[in-house]
Amino acid sequence: MCRASMWDNVPTTLHRCAQDFRHITLFRATSVLTNDRNIIVHALAEESLPVEIELKFSVPKEKSVALLTALHSGDVRNCWLQAIYYDTREGKLAKRGATIRLRKEGRRWIQTAKMVTSDPLLRLEHNIEVSTSRHQEIPELVLARHDGTAVGAAISNILRSIPPEGLPTALIDRFHINVLRRIRDEYIGDTKVEMAFDTGHIRCGERSIPIRELEMELKSGTIENFFRLAEVWAVRTGLHICTSSKAVRGEYLIDGRQGGNPVTAVNRKIGPDEGKLRFLVLTLRSCLHQIMDNASEISRGAKDEEFVHQLRVGLRRIRTALRELSKFSTNIDPAWEYAFSQTFHELGTHRDIAAVLPKVLEAMHVCGIDYCWKKPPGLDAGTPQMSVKAVEFQRAMLSVLAYCHITLRDEEHRKHAHSALKEKIEGLLDHLYTQIAVDAKHFSTLTIARRHGLRKRLKRLRYLSEFASSLFDSHRVKRYLKDWRKAQDALGTYNDYRISFDTFNHDTRTLKNRTLALNWLDMHLENCVRQCAAALNHAVKKPVFW
């Protein structure tokens, strides 16, 4: 099936939802959903999940009252949660994505161990209820309670350098979390999803940061219905995906930071039995990880331009995967690429104004040309925060995440010939290389549009090569891409000057030194064309690695 229709089986009442919580009171579904003919639905029994399957959404302050009203249209349970998070002084567990805590839920104390996985949706988790003695307000933390579990083994491995007798004092109280949790169980057919709206704060000494988020956790049933509910309750109503856990934000607080660092691309190693479909899906998931983490930080207010840059890199990578590898699957939705493209271009406009044009103006100033250009009204219609919070972008991320999860589940036990995947990738690389080589020979005479097209194909050649690098000799791939990166850098510089020239040339205002500025840019564009042509011709002559 086309994943664009992933939500089409939701009962008609669900589709009445506009971008407002008012209509969520209609969402109690009583009938079992009809499955798509191309999907095998695996239902999970309640409490049988080996891992925590959860999505988290930040709730803007202005949405809080409406969300509470919608939640209270059903049966809501209120619970005060007080949690103490433990780690070594150096934060060994946090650095490896592990968490251990004691949390008071009402009158009960629960000890929990968690560990992140390569899948942004899944976390290893083990919970055990503990008791306090008459003289204890807080129970003792005992790591051995998690013995025999996957997450317990992971934490023991992280702490293996600490002798057993030293563990009780090595793990210290790092920060506290206090929230009021409003819990409601929501159903579609036989699928049960726990929705928890948390409001409160994380505190470390005198410092604190607020919490306002909606967590949705699959308790039983099908993951298809889990994503349907997430789309209806969160995406359509203007919430946005949040990838940083409370524990991670607690570590930020300890370090005196407001958020995380920009997330760069990581190219995964291809498995021995990996076929075309699994290669596509795992590549999409790798790209999505970079996109979601950077978008999450931007939506929470991160100002560093490197977040925007890395988000755009992630968007370029996923668009390459969707464009070049789309024939590996019949279920790729064209709407995904369109949504990612829209966000990419909006962020590009922001980058031009925030980074490219000021850099060019500064270079002119160094050369003695003071061109007093300022952004005209209406040129920058939005901000990065507005772009990543847009409903269509959030929907695209959620839809791709759902597609990856469902497809990987259905592909779990299938094996494929490595050679077939390698042969297909070689064909794709050959096609891109041939197109680039033809235009590279005549770069100086190409139209501006053709030069831009060449730059985009070069990026696709690079990213596809990186996606598939472990199918080939990795050293040969790195050596080969080194020259293409130089050509890409030269084309990037040319593009920055081109953007500046067009922006200044089309500005109807009369500004001092306008002619001098345009002449300066024209001279640099001519130099860039020669440098691009030389870099491209040098790269084209290198023997391919495939």
Side-chain angles (χ1 to χ4, degrees):
M1 83 172 191
C2 175
R3 298 295 171 182
S5 62
M6 171 169 285
W7 323 116
D8 290 349
N9 285 332
V10 182
T12 304
T13 51
L14 300 189
H15 284 295
R16 295 174 186 165
C17 174
Q19 290 178 25
D20 191 331
F21 290 102
R22 290 192 302 269
H23 306 292
I24 292 181
T25 56
L26 304 174
F27 289 178
R28 181 66 61 179
T30 56
S31 60
V32 177
L33 301 181
T34 303
N35 300 330
D36 270 289
R37 61 180 180 276
N38 293 329
I39 286 185
I40 300 171
V41 175
H42 300 281
L44 296 164
E46 189 165 359
E47 306 303 336
S48 71
L49 301 179
V51 291
E52 179 185 53
I53 300 178
E54 180 184 88
L55 282 167
K56 189 191 304 288
F57 298 89
S58 291
V59 181
K61 190 174 183 179
E62 64 273 15
K63 298 276 185 179
S64 297
V65 174
L67 176 57
L68 275 174
T69 302
L71 285 172
H72 279 287
S73 66
D75 296 327
V76 174
R77 309 183 300 279
N78 292 339
C79 181
W80 282 101
L81 304 179
Q82 299 171 277
I84 306 167
Y85 284 73
Y86 296 85
D87 204 337
T88 64
R89 291 189 183 277
E90 306 80 18
K92 283 188 175 183
L93 295 178
K95 289 173 183 175
R96 298 282 295 276
T99 301
I100 190 159
R101 74 179 182 218
L102 285 168
R103 186 166 76 183
K104 189 177 183 182
E105 303 178 3
R107 295 182 178 180
R108 300 188 309 153
W109 281 96
I110 308 292
Q111 182 173 308
T112 300
K114 293 188 181 186
M115 183 79 182
V116 299
T117 70
S118 60
D119 187 327
L121 189 65
L122 301 180
R123 288 186 295 181
L124 299 176
E125 180 176 2
H126 180 245
N127 297 288
I128 185 166
E129 187 168 350
V130 296
S131 58
T132 58
S133 67
R134 182 185 304 175
H135 304 293
Q136 282 182 313
E137 288 187 13
I138 301 171
E140 182 184 359
L141 182 76
V142 181
L143 284 178
R145 291 175 178 140
H146 305 294
D147 286 352
T149 67
V151 66
I155 288 176
S156 295
N157 185 53
I158 295 169
L159 301 176
R160 65 184 181 277
S161 62
I162 303 173
E165 63 273 14
L167 279 175
T169 54
L171 293 176
I172 62 171
D173 175 345
R174 296 271 282 177
F175 55 88
H176 292 199
I177 294 178
N178 292 280
V179 299
L180 172 59
R181 170 165 287 184
R182 287 95 162 182
I183 305 167
R184 170 172 164 177
D185 295 329
E186 187 68 7
Y187 299 85
I188 292 184
D190 59 352
T191 297
K192 176 183 177 182
V193 175
E194 181 184 272
M195 298 193 300
F197 179 31
D198 291 345
T199 53
H201 61 267
I202 306 171
R203 185 174 296 282
C204 176
E206 297 299 317
R207 298 194 299 270
S208 69
I209 51 177
I211 295 171
R212 192 168 51 250
E213 62 193 26
L214 176 69
E215 292 183 0
M216 300 184 69
E217 183 177 351
L218 177 62
K219 290 297 186 180
S220 62
T222 68
I223 202 164
E224 286 87 346
N225 287 345
F226 173 64
F227 278 105
R228 289 182 175 103
L229 275 176
E231 204 270 350
V232 170
W233 269 90
V235 173
R236 294 191 198 181
T237 49
L239 309 187
H240 46 274
I241 295 170
C242 174
T243 59
S244 57
S245 66
K246 296 181 182 70
V248 167
R249 279 173 278 164
E251 291 297 322
Y252 297 159
L253 191 62
I254 290 173
D255 295 339
R257 293 185 290 151
Q258 292 298 311
N261 296 316
V263 176
T264 57
V266 175
N267 293 299
R268 42 171 294 277
K269 186 175 177 60
I270 298 169
D273 300 317
E274 198 165 305
K276 292 185 292 184
L277 182 55
R278 189 172 176 83
F279 173 76
L280 164 64
V281 172
L282 290 174
T283 299
L284 289 175
R285 196 172 74 176
S286 173
C287 298
L288 198 61
H289 179 267
Q290 183 182 17
I291 291 168
M292 289 173 64
D293 280 2
N294 287 300
S296 178
E297 291 297 328
I298 292 170
S299 69
R300 293 199 306 117
K303 302 297 184 183
D304 189 340
E305 288 297 321
E306 186 62 17
F307 285 104
V308 175
H309 173 66
Q310 290 301 331
L311 175 54
R312 293 186 81 235
V313 170
L315 290 169
R316 285 194 202 104
R317 294 172 73 234
I318 203 167
R319 291 174 65 200
T320 294
L322 290 170
R323 182 179 180 123
E324 298 298 327
L325 308 176
S326 60
K327 291 184 179 178
F328 289 9
S329 171
T330 59
N331 296 329
I332 295 297
D333 182 0
W336 301 341
E337 204 282 332
Y338 178 78
F340 292 140
S341 176
Q342 287 290 104
T343 304
F344 178 83
H345 289 299
E346 289 173 9
L347 295 172
T349 300
H350 167 82
R351 173 187 173 271
D352 294 342
I353 294 168
V356 173
L357 297 176
K359 183 178 178 181
V360 170
L361 290 168
E362 177 60 27
M364 286 182 184
H365 173 74
V366 171
C367 294
I369 302 173
D370 288 320
Y371 182 46
C372 301
W373 182 89
K374 292 184 179 180
K375 180 185 71 174
L379 181 60
D380 186 11
T383 64
Q385 195 173 48
M386 290 169 60
S387 295
V388 300
K389 287 183 177 182
V391 171
E392 288 308 314
F393 176 63
Q394 292 287 324
R395 177 178 286 126
M397 288 194 294
L398 185 66
S399 295
V400 175
L401 186 62
Y403 165 76
C404 290
H405 243 277
I406 294 165
T407 306
L408 284 176
R409 180 201 62 197
D410 296 342
E411 280 281 298
E412 186 176 0
H413 300 297
R414 296 177 187 173
K415 295 184 178 181
H416 304 270
H418 228 34
S419 57
L421 173 60
K422 188 174 181 181
E423 182 180 348
K424 189 65 178 177
I425 296 294
E426 288 171 346
L428 294 171
L429 291 170
D430 260 333
H431 181 66
L432 280 170
Y433 172 80
T434 301
Q435 290 180 307
I436 292 169
V438 169
D439 281 349
K441 291 178 181 178
H442 310 286
F443 183 81
S444 60
T445 60
L446 294 179
T447 64
I448 293 172
R450 285 282 292 275
R451 289 172 184 171
H452 188 59
L454 169 60
R455 181 171 178 248
K456 291 196 291 185
R457 283 193 292 274
L458 193 158
K459 288 179 181 178
R460 294 203 297 272
L461 175 70
R462 173 189 167 183
Y463 294 135
L464 184 58
S465 298
E466 290 174 346
F467 294 155
S469 61
S470 61
L471 284 172
F472 305 92
D473 183 324
S474 59
H475 295 294
R476 288 187 63 196
V477 176
K478 287 180 181 178
R479 286 196 300 270
Y480 182 75
L481 291 181
K482 184 178 180 180
D483 290 312
W484 284 112
R485 285 194 185 96
K486 290 179 180 177
Q488 185 178 332
D489 289 343
L491 286 165
T493 301
Y494 166 81
N495 189 60
D496 288 348
Y497 284 125
R498 181 83 259 164
I499 288 169
S500 301
F501 185 92
D502 291 344
T503 302
F504 299 157
N505 192 39
H506 291 122
D507 192 348
T508 58
R509 296 172 295 178
T510 302
L511 298 174
K512 183 181 177 182
N513 291 333
R514 178 192 184 90
T515 302
L516 282 174
L518 292 176
N519 288 340
W520 185 89
L521 284 167
D522 195 45
M523 177 188 70
H524 278 74
L525 281 169
E526 289 180 9
N527 290 335
C528 282
V529 168
R530 288 193 291 270
Q531 291 168 6
C532 289
L536 286 166
N537 283 312
H538 180 73
V540 164
K541 292 174 183 176
K542 293 291 184 180
V544 300
F545 65 82
W546 59 91

